[in-house]
Amino acid sequence: MNWIPLDSINQLEDINTHSKPILIFKHSTRCPVSSMAKRNIELEAVLLPENIQTYFLDLIKFRELSNQVSELWKVKHESPQVLLIYNQECIYNSSHNEINIADIVMKIEEVTS
């Protein structure tokens, strides 16, 4: 899996104007549940479309950026958390043990077909 580090507000602007779905994973490097969720995403990444951009947000280093994510896409902050951004909206979000790549893939297929 090719994670793109999410570490600037400028990236949020780019994500918000992108014409294809983008996946953001918000990860707490101090949380074992978050580490397990990250591992599960990486194991199931082969199910994701090849061209999807996947961003990784380290919540410990970039808490303010995480707050901006919550504000911009009107989602409650959770960790771990996955957001699917498309057409300037968060069209899917899930957290903790509810993170499921198959659900994300179905949502991507729904908006791109």
Side-chain angles (χ1 to χ4, degrees):
M1 176 154 219
N2 186 23
W3 291 114
I4 302 166
L6 181 52
D7 54 18
S8 78
I9 290 180
N10 290 341
Q11 287 175 293
L12 297 183
E13 294 167 7
D14 291 342
I15 290 168
N16 210 27
T17 59
H18 204 275
S19 62
K20 295 182 180 177
I22 293 189
L23 187 71
I24 298 172
F25 177 62
K26 294 169 53 179
H27 174 58
S28 171
T29 55
R30 296 180 186 157
C31 173
V33 173
S34 193
S35 294
M36 183 63 75
K38 180 178 180 279
R39 183 178 149 274
N40 289 342
I41 290 169
E42 291 170 343
L43 288 173
E44 296 180 346
V46 296
L47 301 174
L48 292 168
E50 286 184 27
N51 60 348
I52 191 165
Q53 292 182 5
T54 53
Y55 285 83
F56 175 86
L57 175 56
D58 180 335
L59 298 176
I60 304 303
K61 287 183 182 177
F62 300 103
R63 179 57 194 219
E64 273 304 308
L65 193 55
S66 176
N67 292 341
Q68 290 291 324
V69 166
S70 295
E71 185 176 315
L72 181 61
W73 289 297
K74 297 171 182 47
V75 294
K76 178 184 171 193
H77 165 77
E78 296 190 70
S79 170
Q81 184 175 33
V82 168
L83 309 170
L84 188 61
I85 309 301
Y86 181 66
N87 285 339
Q88 301 181 355
E89 293 182 38
C90 179
I91 60 169
Y92 174 90
N93 83 79
S94 187
S95 64
H96 297 87
N97 296 328
E98 299 298 315
I99 295 172
N100 184 317
I101 292 295
D103 291 343
I104 294 167
V105 169
M106 284 191 336
K107 192 65 174 180
I108 292 169
E109 289 172 353
E110 180 182 307
V111 298
T112 59
S113 58

